[in-house]
Amino acid sequence: FNRGGGAGQAPGPQPTRPRRGSDLESELTLGFRDATLGVTTPITLTSPSPCTTCHGSGAKPGTSPRVCQSCNGSGLVSRNQGAFSFSEPCPDCRGTGSVIDDPCTDCNGTGVTVRTRTVNVKIPAGVKDGQRIRLAGQGQAGMRGAPSGDLFVTVHVSADDVFTRNGDDLLVTLPVSFAELALGATVTVPTLEQPVGVKIPAGTTDGRTLRVRGRGVPKRAGGHGDLLVKVQVAVPPSLNERAQQALRDYAEAERAGGFDPRGGWAGAGSTTGA
């Protein structure tokens, strides 16, 4: 409440104005590559939105709300009770400070209607699974022209058949032959955009990870992470006669050269026969 006016006293309560609309929540599922590279995608919402007939004013087209005469547009009226004076919302305008004499028939003077609308959501490159995107002013409409709330979109990212992610780096497992590891080779590896050639040095061990700079996830501060290529030997399920004989000849040459794949393993070497 307010006491009698006087210099230096705190100001009275502020006028009540139409309240801002509520925030809305939505969810969106994206493919791995769209989420990593960024995309603009539409979502459909059914929610209270500004009336398209009166443009949110609540008044019939061609008319406008007028200033409430009871409170002079303040939204508050004073009531005396003994030595005290109380301020309360104006009963004539319900604290809004304005009165609508000829309300819009489509929204009954609220300035809001429930409708289905499409919102284009711009997903930044590198968005992570579970991240929330805020769209200012795309939430529920406020009453009688008050600002709309915000829309928060939670992004879910689907798994990819080729890539996984570790921070700003992309990981891919590359099937290779034993000959490619032993002799060295240059192989084509997919990225999120264009394939690149990756050089496998001679004598590369199975399971080694090769790094390709700048071919990973776009960073918010600029640049990209790296592409990490893990080589994995693919063993043929069957061999024809010629391949079997060639492999036996190789195994014999390997033993003659003194190579033991289990040399030093578990404290001792091993000897095998073809």
Side-chain angles (χ1 to χ4, degrees):
F1 55 87
N2 294 325
R3 298 185 178 181
Q9 290 186 345
Q14 297 299 309
T16 302
R17 294 302 182 196
R19 189 171 55 186
R20 172 184 180 273
S22 300
D23 293 336
L24 296 179
E25 297 274 350
S26 184
E27 296 186 347
L28 177 65
T29 299
L30 294 176
F32 183 89
R33 303 186 190 216
D34 282 342
T36 305
L37 295 175
V39 68
T40 297
T41 184
I43 61 172
T44 302
L45 300 173
T46 299
S47 64
S49 304
C51 176
T52 56
T53 301
C54 65
H55 303 289
S57 71
K60 185 178 179 179
T63 67
S64 300
R66 62 178 175 84
V67 176
C68 177
Q69 298 300 313
S70 300
C71 64
N72 293 320
S74 69
L76 299 171
V77 293
S78 298
R79 180 169 60 88
N80 295 322
Q81 183 174 346
F84 302 101
S85 176
F86 297 86
S87 292
E88 60 187 8
C90 175
D92 292 336
C93 66
R94 298 182 181 180
T96 64
S98 63
V99 176
I100 296 176
D101 295 318
D102 197 359
C104 173
T105 57
D106 288 346
C107 65
N108 296 320
T110 63
V112 175
T113 57
V114 176
R115 61 187 175 92
T116 299
R117 57 195 171 102
T118 299
V119 178
N120 288 323
V121 183
K122 184 177 181 180
I123 305 298
V127 67
K128 297 179 180 179
D129 183 55
Q131 186 172 332
R132 296 173 82 215
I133 307 297
R134 173 177 173 264
L135 282 77
Q138 293 293 340
Q140 182 174 315
M143 300 291 287
R144 292 170 64 177
S148 298
D150 298 334
L151 172 63
F152 292 89
V153 180
T154 300
V155 179
H156 301 288
V157 181
S158 301
D160 190 79
D161 294 335
V162 176
F163 300 103
T164 56
R165 179 174 175 178
N166 182 15
D168 293 326
D169 293 335
L170 285 178
L171 288 72
V172 60
T173 298
L174 175 68
V176 293
S177 68
F178 170 74
E180 288 174 325
L181 293 185
L183 302 175
T186 298
V187 298
T188 299
V189 177
T191 72
L192 291 174
E193 297 176 291
Q194 296 180 343
V196 295
V198 175
K199 183 178 181 180
I200 300 175
T204 296
T205 56
D206 182 39
R208 178 180 172 182
T209 297
L210 307 173
R211 184 180 296 270
V212 183
R213 303 271 180 195
R215 291 289 184 166
V217 179
K219 299 180 180 180
R220 295 182 61 183
H224 292 70
D226 298 334
L227 175 67
L228 305 181
V229 182
K230 180 181 179 181
V231 295
Q232 185 177 69
V233 170
V235 178
S238 62
L239 297 173
N240 59 29
E241 183 65 29
R242 181 181 176 186
Q244 290 182 29
Q245 185 56 51
L247 198 55
R248 292 190 188 96
D249 293 341
Y250 166 77
E252 181 62 32
E254 186 180 67
R255 285 193 296 271
F259 175 72
D260 184 353
R262 288 171 290 281
W265 178 74
S270 63
T271 301
T272 60

